[in-house]
Amino acid sequence: MNLTTTYLGLTLRSPLVPSAAAPLTEDMDNIKRMEDAGAGAVVLHSLFEEQLVHEKFELHHHLTYGTDSYAESLTFFPEPEQFHVGPEVYLEHIRKAKEEVSIPIIASLNGYTPGGWLEYAQLMQQAGADAIELNVYYVPTDFNLTGAEVEQNYIDILRDVKSEVTIPVSIKLSPYFSNFANMAKRLDDAGADGLVLFNRFYQPDIDLDNLEVYPHLILSSPQDSRLPMRWIAILYSRIGADLAATSGVQKGQDALKMLMAGAKITQICSVLLRHGIEHIQVIEQEMCRWMEEHEYESVQQMQGSMSQMYCPDSSTFERAQYMKAIQTFTPEFTSAF
């Protein structure tokens, strides 16, 4: 069975790609296991804007502390290249991954404001990254910030990164835009090589015993795949950027649906955290078994086949599906009351 697909100009042996699944991708042995299990590529854990900004402040502090008081000792201060700051570890991780495995390595840069931290995209390319996934994780809380300003911020960040590198750049998005179709088109026009749909915002919870707000991570479920599948099906063939599905892919059937909607790859994370890295093989086997039963010879044969472009009733991806879903719903049980 031919599972080959293309994504961001890269040829992948499989559309199954582990996403930025920290802590899994922080360990080189895990990346090797992902390759052995059949992953088409690996998206590394994210390097965060906060890390880069913090390191710059730390570096500046150590280089300038006391220089006004002890000018004669300037020659004893270390040069900037002698500091092994945190981000250098990430860059070395890219270099080592490229040496150890043959599948593409996609670096992940996570932030939400334009600025000098975006220069690290160039360092990622120099370290050997085959592509960069730009993860704009942003919850705007400024009451005076307009929706147009928020959207322009995404465009500016993408353009800044594209100006730093020549390798492909995808951008991972949330669905929370007033007109997501328009936003996808604007990002496509701004040079995005791929759109990754969708980012999941991890909502905090409240600890009633300790009266504290704390992070509460809930792994995705198959139900989470519906939203990205819908928008991938709507965008397929209407924009030039490749489409990647993430959220809710747990089984081979989930991956197949995403591919039929129009995705080039399906990113997986929660299922690996639940069942282990070798579960990639299980998902692939489920895909191959279904494809054989339904006489599909390749992944490319099915990509986009159930998108809005080819769906017999394209309205099911739009408003009409809302009314139809309500009218055809049958309760699984009746109330005792």
Side-chain angles (χ1 to χ4, degrees):
M1 195 65 63
N2 183 4
L3 300 182
T4 304
T5 187
T6 59
Y7 177 62
L8 305 180
L10 305 168
T11 300
L12 312 185
R13 69 160 300 279
S14 165
L16 300 176
V17 175
S19 63
L24 290 181
T25 58
E26 295 176 359
D27 187 297
M28 190 58 59
D29 287 339
N30 285 343
I31 296 176
K32 294 178 185 177
R33 288 168 59 200
M34 290 173 181
E35 180 181 42
D36 293 341
V42 171
V43 182
L44 296 182
H45 55 286
S46 291
L47 183 59
F48 288 86
E49 173 185 348
E50 290 81 356
Q51 289 175 270
L52 301 172
V53 172
H54 172 74
E55 293 293 349
K56 284 191 174 184
F57 278 122
E58 286 290 305
L59 182 60
H60 177 75
H61 168 74
H62 288 295
L63 287 175
T64 59
Y65 180 76
T67 56
D68 292 335
S69 301
Y70 305 97
E72 69 277 5
S73 66
L74 283 176
T75 55
F76 293 98
F77 278 81
E79 294 299 319
E81 58 268 22
Q82 292 179 264
F83 283 96
H84 297 285
V85 296
E88 183 59 37
V89 176
Y90 188 95
L91 299 175
E92 181 59 31
H93 194 58
I94 296 174
R95 296 186 192 102
K96 190 171 182 181
K98 289 300 298 177
E99 294 174 357
E100 298 286 342
V101 300
S102 59
I103 57 177
I105 297 296
I106 302 174
S108 177
L109 194 56
N110 189 312
Y112 63 98
T113 63
W117 64 278
L118 295 172
E119 297 170 1
Y120 273 84
Q122 189 177 91
L123 296 177
M124 290 176 168
Q125 175 174 320
Q126 293 172 359
D130 295 286
I132 292 174
E133 182 174 285
L134 185 56
N135 189 339
V136 184
Y137 192 99
Y138 181 40
V139 182
T141 57
D142 184 345
F143 282 41
N144 297 314
L145 195 63
T146 68
E149 290 173 317
V150 171
E151 293 178 359
Q152 188 60 46
N153 190 54
Y154 280 74
I155 303 295
D156 292 342
I157 292 175
L158 173 64
R159 284 177 173 162
D160 285 349
V161 171
K162 289 288 291 184
S163 69
E164 295 286 340
V165 299
T166 56
I167 57 176
V169 177
S170 63
I171 182 166
K172 192 172 186 178
L173 300 166
S174 80
Y176 305 118
F177 294 94
S178 58
N179 183 352
F180 186 79
N182 176 261
M183 191 63 194
K185 180 179 183 302
R186 291 176 63 194
L187 289 166
D188 185 38
D189 292 342
D193 297 287
L195 302 182
V196 183
L197 311 183
F198 285 112
N199 210 337
R200 294 176 65 233
F201 288 146
Y202 298 120
Q203 315 294 353
D205 204 344
I206 295 177
D207 184 336
L208 293 177
D209 294 325
N210 298 309
L211 298 182
E212 293 179 349
V213 178
Y214 69 101
H216 188 193
L217 173 61
I218 299 177
L219 299 179
S220 68
S221 66
Q223 288 72 27
D224 295 314
S225 68
R226 298 287 185 88
L227 185 60
M229 181 173 65
R230 180 189 189 191
W231 274 106
I232 287 171
I234 291 173
L235 295 176
Y236 178 77
S237 80
R238 295 186 173 186
I239 62 174
D242 288 342
L243 299 169
T246 187
S247 293
V249 177
Q250 309 285 315
K251 301 178 180 179
Q253 290 82 350
D254 301 325
L256 290 166
K257 291 176 184 179
M258 292 295 196
L259 295 170
M260 287 184 171
K264 288 294 188 75
I265 66 167
T266 61
Q267 294 190 3
I268 49 179
C269 176
S270 293
V271 67
L272 303 185
L273 294 172
R274 283 193 179 102
H275 303 293
I277 291 170
E278 282 67 30
H279 199 73
I280 296 173
Q281 295 176 327
V282 176
I283 298 175
E284 180 177 308
Q285 291 166 2
E286 291 172 346
M287 291 175 61
C288 290
R289 189 159 49 246
W290 186 93
M291 291 171 66
E292 185 175 359
E293 291 174 357
H294 293 80
E295 300 182 350
Y296 281 91
E297 297 179 356
S298 70
V299 160
Q300 296 182 5
Q301 184 182 355
M302 70 174 65
Q303 281 175 331
S305 60
M306 290 298 293
S307 67
Q308 187 187 51
M309 182 178 180
Y310 295 111
C311 185
D313 182 8
S314 61
S315 65
T316 55
F317 288 112
E318 299 173 355
R319 178 173 169 77
Q321 60 81 31
Y322 171 74
M323 296 180 289
K324 186 180 296 184
I326 293 177
Q327 293 168 354
T328 59
F329 174 74
T330 302
E332 296 181 3
F333 61 90
T334 58
S335 171
F337 300 98

